[in-house]
Amino acid sequence: MSGRLPAGWAETTLAAICAHRSGSSKLIKGKLHAAWRPGRYQGFSASGPDVWCDGWEHEGEALVVSAVGTRCGKAFRARGRWSAIANTYVVWPDPRAIDLDYLFLHLNNEDFWVKGGSAQPFVKVRETFERPFCLPPLPEQRRIVAKVEALLAEVSAAKARLASASLVLKRLRQAVLAAACSGRLTEDLRASSASPPAAGPAETAPGSDGDEGSRRRPPASWVVRPFGALVDNHDGGRVPVKSTDRERRRGPYPYYGASGIIDSIDGYLFDGDYLLIAEDGANLLSRTTAVAFPARGRFWVNNHAHVVQPKAGVALGYLEMLLNSLDLQHHVTGSAQPKLTQAALNGIPAPVPPAEEQAEIVRRAQALFALADTIEERVAMARARADKLPQTILARAFSGELVPTEAELARAEGRDHEPAEVLLRRVRGEGATPGHCKPSATPA
């Protein structure tokens, strides 16, 4: 903290109000137990409470800090009987001066620590504990902890709701694709133009998935054709280029693979509007990204994506949505390396509406996708703000801005209070209290 201290606070050091020592170098993680059994005690490694020991070294409450590694500075609460093993530090606060939970808020911030090393970072405990530390009165520390915990719980709940919103948006996109390629998205259009009703009751069309992605029998005005009858295939024009060769051939043209643009190159194989479809890869089944995507202009394609152009009367955008709506597990071969062969792709049953309806389906679906994209951008912005909130909350807490100070409350309530400076003088005058600021002497 820089500037003037809040009323009632005092400047001290953690070294003056805490004891610390390294974890036991005799206890090696690889030689300890990974699971609890009767007679075993919790052990803390640099990764946290993830081992079990046949004995215990300490009893009571303390904080165990990861001393080495990429997450050095991460702190863990220890209670009961336990041990701290190699690559940790144990910190015992003097409870007369500083609340353990308040200290945890400081120590569990990895940026709080002075660190050394680069390839293998480590915390510098002595330097960290000898820096100036701003201490509120004890009652204020406890109010700060309660307020911080309440606010952090609200942040966690908000982040959970944002994660849920992202899942809802993913399902919305899936529902739009299913509705677009089953005729549900344009039911009103067919009704207004006096198109014949859907042929028979709703049922799953051949080649479609079930439940949320299921499609009814296509409307009577639609036709079902093999996918290969709707497109011209240009797989013969593909040419793979090794990554080492591409490094020497950087250029202005996109180089496509099964998942989209993966590089750039100095030449092109295709010029125009095409639909690319993943030929192999786990994404054919996991569907973390689209399996079909448009490629326009001049570009290069390797042999991991099919290259097709729709025939007259077939909209590229509609075919893109159709393939991305399908569950391809019945058309894909292989397990270690799933593959959608050209023959399997050509044989997929494709429900096709009239050209005008295709255009309207694409227009409506794209409008809904654009709305989902806008919402998702806002969710991402909210998530980014939520990620920053914990540090903002802690910064306000440690500057005396989160709760009323003990001095302010005492004035308002007409009572006395003990400023932190008086508290520190009293603690120094009383000296160390056994068991409060020293590690347990109980052997493991």
Side-chain angles (χ1 to χ4, degrees):
M1 180 190 301
S2 60
R4 187 175 179 182
L5 288 174
W9 290 37
E11 186 174 283
T12 183
T13 65
L14 287 180
I17 53 177
C18 297
H20 63 83
R21 86 173 193 192
S22 299
S24 174
S25 59
K26 297 178 181 179
L27 297 175
I28 308 301
K29 185 172 183 177
K31 297 182 179 180
L32 299 173
H33 306 291
W36 178 83
R37 293 286 187 277
R40 293 178 183 173
Y41 300 88
Q42 184 72 74
F44 289 80
S45 74
S47 302
D50 57 358
V51 291
W52 298 88
C53 306
D54 292 321
W56 52 277
E57 290 193 325
H58 310 292
E59 185 173 19
E61 291 188 316
L63 300 178
V64 181
V65 180
S66 174
V68 179
T70 56
R71 295 299 308 275
C72 65
K74 176 70 177 173
F76 309 93
R77 293 181 176 90
R79 293 184 174 91
R81 293 176 174 178
W82 48 275
S83 294
I85 73 173
N87 297 326
T88 65
Y89 265 98
V90 185
V91 179
W92 290 267
D94 186 332
R96 300 168 302 173
I98 185 167
D99 180 78
L100 182 139
D101 291 329
Y102 181 76
L103 179 62
F104 178 78
L105 293 180
H106 282 273
L107 299 195
N108 196 40
N109 178 2
E110 294 168 38
D111 294 333
F112 174 79
W113 294 87
V114 179
K115 298 182 181 180
S118 54
Q120 182 75 324
F122 61 91
V123 295
K124 296 184 176 181
V125 178
R126 182 181 299 276
E127 289 185 33
T128 301
F129 275 39
E130 289 179 354
R131 291 182 311 181
F133 182 83
C134 300
L135 185 72
L138 262 176
E140 190 173 338
Q141 293 177 37
R142 297 176 182 127
R143 288 199 305 275
I144 289 173
V145 169
K147 185 66 173 180
V148 167
E149 289 179 346
L151 291 175
L152 292 182
E154 291 182 16
V155 172
S156 295
K159 292 173 74 171
R161 289 193 294 270
L162 290 171
S164 176
S166 295
L167 181 59
V168 169
L169 288 171
K170 180 179 179 180
R171 291 175 176 170
L172 169 63
R173 291 187 176 93
Q174 293 170 339
V176 169
L177 288 173
C181 301
S182 67
R184 295 198 302 272
L185 193 61
T186 44
E187 284 177 335
D188 62 319
L189 180 67
R190 292 191 301 278
S192 64
S193 61
S195 297
E203 60 181 58
T204 302
S208 67
D209 53 349
D211 300 327
E212 187 177 351
S214 64
R215 277 175 294 279
R216 305 171 300 177
R217 180 181 295 172
S221 58
W222 292 31
V223 295
V224 178
R225 296 284 186 268
F227 185 83
L230 305 175
V231 299
D232 293 318
N233 189 286
H234 298 278
D235 284 1
R238 304 175 301 178
V239 178
V241 181
K242 295 180 180 179
S243 59
T244 53
D245 293 334
R246 295 200 304 272
E247 289 179 2
R248 298 191 297 268
R249 297 185 55 186
R250 301 292 186 208
Y253 302 104
Y255 180 92
Y256 283 90
S259 58
I261 298 173
I262 59 175
D263 211 337
S264 64
I265 199 166
D266 59 359
Y268 62 92
L269 302 174
F270 302 95
D271 186 0
D273 294 343
Y274 293 80
L275 183 66
L276 305 187
I277 305 149
E279 181 174 346
D280 49 35
N283 187 55
L284 286 169
L285 300 178
S286 65
R287 309 302 286 271
T288 54
T289 60
V291 297
F293 42 92
R296 295 183 168 88
R298 295 174 174 178
F299 57 92
W300 195 294
V301 184
N302 66 17
N303 58 348
H304 295 290
H306 296 294
V307 184
V308 302
Q309 277 186 312
K311 293 185 176 181
V314 182
L316 186 150
Y318 175 76
L319 292 183
E320 176 191 355
M321 288 190 295
L322 174 63
L323 288 172
N324 286 326
S325 73
L326 291 174
D327 181 352
L328 297 174
Q329 62 178 326
H330 301 298
H331 307 284
V332 170
T333 58
S335 54
Q337 177 69 339
K339 185 176 182 67
L340 179 63
T341 66
Q342 185 179 137
L345 173 64
N346 289 341
I348 294 175
V352 184
E356 290 185 359
E357 189 171 350
Q358 290 180 50
E360 182 62 13
I361 287 172
V362 172
R363 186 192 70 79
R364 293 185 182 189
Q366 287 179 343
L368 290 170
F369 291 149
L371 176 61
D373 289 343
T374 299
I375 297 172
E376 193 156 45
E377 287 177 5
R378 294 177 180 175
V379 169
M381 292 172 61
R383 187 183 295 112
R385 290 195 296 270
D387 288 339
K388 296 177 182 178
L389 277 176
Q391 289 302 320
T392 301
I393 291 169
L394 291 175
R396 293 192 62 195
F398 300 149
S399 62
E401 301 173 18
L402 197 61
V403 300
T405 65
E406 184 68 6
E408 292 169 343
L409 285 181
R411 283 197 302 270
E413 296 169 3
R415 61 173 173 82
D416 293 331
H417 76 285
E418 183 178 53
E421 183 60 45
V422 175
L423 170 66
L424 290 171
R425 287 200 299 269
R426 178 168 60 81
V427 169
R428 284 194 293 267
E430 294 174 359
T433 301
H436 280 180
C437 201
K438 291 184 179 298
S440 169
T442 306

